[in-house]
Amino acid sequence: MVKCIRIDRSSSFATIRFNLDELRILADSVGYMADKHQVNLLSLTPDKEERAKITEYIRIMKNLGRISKSLL
């Protein structure tokens, strides 16, 4: 179960507690989104907004993966 521990509205941060399996599922989901956008970029003329989305998805996926690996 995902539980929100703390929200800091002034700095736009939230601290969320996941179990390890949920974290892996979330990382996989972000990876699937990144893959989907990469396929779209290959079939269409990519614009800056699409490139920014894929970059952000990949960054999030890598960070979630690092967190997951550090917990093992």
Side-chain angles (χ1 to χ4, degrees):
M1 175 187 268
V2 177
K3 295 183 179 182
C4 182
I5 299 171
R6 184 182 64 194
I7 296 174
D8 183 354
R9 294 185 195 283
S10 64
S11 62
S12 298
F13 277 101
T15 303
I16 302 171
R17 183 172 51 198
F18 293 95
N19 73 32
L20 191 54
D21 291 331
E22 290 169 334
L23 183 60
R24 287 185 187 125
I25 291 167
L26 181 62
D28 288 344
S29 295
V30 173
Y32 296 138
M33 287 188 288
D35 291 343
K36 180 181 174 185
H37 277 277
Q38 283 179 333
V39 168
N40 288 343
L41 287 177
L42 293 174
S43 63
L44 302 172
T45 304
D47 60 0
K48 287 183 181 180
E49 186 175 316
E50 284 294 317
R51 288 185 188 274
K53 280 183 190 177
I54 188 76
T55 301
E56 186 67 15
Y57 287 147
I58 291 170
R59 186 185 64 78
I60 292 169
M61 181 182 62
K62 287 180 180 178
N63 287 335
L64 290 172
R66 285 185 200 133
I67 292 168
S68 178
K69 286 178 185 176
S70 72
L71 296 173
L72 295 176

